[in-house]
Amino acid sequence: EPEVTQTPSHQVTQMGQEVILRCVPISNHLYFYWYRQILGQKVEFLVSFYNNEISEKSEIFDDQFSVERPDGSNFTLKIRSTKLEDSAMYFCASSEGTGGAGGYTFGSGTRLTVV
Amino acid sequence: QKEVEQNSGPLSVPEGAIASLNCTYSDRGSQSFFWYRQYSGKSPELIMSIYSNGDKEDGRFTAQLNKASQYVSLLIRDSQPSDSATYLCAVQRARQLTFGSGTQLTVLP
């Protein structure tokens, strides 16, 4: 079964450093997303991406965050100048359409710890 | 403010019983509705999707949607210990999902 692949699985970074989280969406999917889940809290939407541009973003997704599709397969989330409160599990997801019968397929996540 | 509410549980049922999970949502413009299962430390895994009022069955799972009442439910028949997990209700509007906080289900052998 097709998978969304995320790397790394764990990342520890010092406060103020930049991190890049990487994702390879399912190959025939057109819509890409980032969500995050702070330990013990809800899964929260960050951003959706289609046709090489952001289509929606949440209040969480401020100037500290950026996304990019640098080539035909990768989708990245960059966090500039990380803060302690950025510590969370970050999930990449993709979908063939805007939800549809197949829903959204989530990757296994990157656990980001900011120290 | 879009809200998705679930009973946090924990909900315990004996093996073989029916587990009933409920969810309400506030945004009447919501278009699609999903149930995800999440094991501790893992990513959400899609169980069911439903788009129109009524019931949708898939194996041991039945999703029910009532848009007038802004209510979604999930029934798990013949519950198994392997069904023990947190079940997340998610509601879609445009291109984003809003998740509930999840209901923790334990199926006792």
Side-chain angles (χ1 to χ4, degrees):
Chain A
E1 186 164 330
E3 290 184 340
V4 174
T5 305
Q6 288 187 245
T7 54
S9 56
H10 294 91
Q11 173 112 33
V12 180
T13 188
Q14 290 199 322
M15 190 169 54
Q17 296 297 303
E18 174 183 287
V19 294
I20 297 176
L21 310 184
R22 303 181 190 278
C23 170
V24 178
I26 294 173
S27 60
N28 65 334
H29 284 187
L30 302 176
Y31 297 85
F32 315 121
Y33 313 87
W34 284 101
Y35 286 79
R36 79 172 185 188
Q37 187 175 29
I38 296 170
L39 186 64
Q41 297 188 22
K42 296 181 182 183
V43 177
E44 300 174 290
F45 169 77
L46 293 178
V47 66
S48 62
F49 191 87
Y50 170 72
N51 199 27
N52 281 320
E53 61 183 24
I54 291 173
S55 51
E56 288 184 52
K57 61 182 181 179
S58 71
E59 292 176 353
I60 303 169
F61 194 89
D62 59 20
D63 292 342
Q64 180 195 10
F65 294 90
S66 62
V67 290
E68 190 179 31
R69 187 157 167 81
D71 54 43
S73 59
N74 289 283
F75 179 51
T76 62
L77 174 69
K78 182 188 293 185
I79 310 175
R80 287 182 280 273
S81 188
T82 50
K83 299 177 275 198
L84 294 177
E85 54 264 38
D86 294 327
S87 295
M89 185 76 106
Y90 288 81
F91 295 112
C92 175
S94 67
S95 66
E96 191 171 354
T98 55
Y104 298 67
T105 302
F106 283 81
S108 55
T110 293
R111 182 170 298 284
L112 176 66
T113 302
V114 182
V115 297
Chain B
Q1 182 79 7
K2 291 174 279 187
E3 297 286 344
V4 177
E5 299 291 339
Q6 297 181 251
N7 290 330
S8 60
L11 172 66
S12 293
V13 299
E15 184 174 354
I18 296 174
S20 177
L21 307 166
N22 304 312
C23 171
T24 58
Y25 60 94
S26 62
D27 183 3
R28 286 196 172 272
S30 301
Q31 300 155 308
S32 305
F33 308 86
F34 304 91
W35 284 99
Y36 284 86
R37 177 172 61 197
Q38 187 176 36
Y39 296 109
S40 181
K42 304 296 184 182
S43 62
E45 175 192 4
L46 182 66
I47 300 294
M48 293 281 291
S49 57
I50 187 165
Y51 309 98
S52 54
N53 283 329
D55 295 359
K56 179 182 177 183
E57 187 174 316
D58 184 0
R60 296 186 295 113
F61 300 95
T62 299
Q64 299 173 316
L65 173 62
N66 183 326
K67 290 186 178 179
S69 301
Q70 296 174 252
Y71 175 85
V72 193
S73 67
L74 180 70
L75 297 177
I76 307 175
R77 289 181 299 282
D78 188 24
S79 296
Q80 300 297 310
S82 58
D83 294 327
S84 298
T86 297
Y87 287 80
L88 308 177
C89 174
V91 172
Q92 181 198 353
R93 180 169 183 155
R95 291 175 187 170
Q96 64 175 275
L97 294 177
T98 301
F99 283 85
S101 55
T103 297
Q104 186 179 344
L105 172 67
T106 301
V107 180
L108 303 170

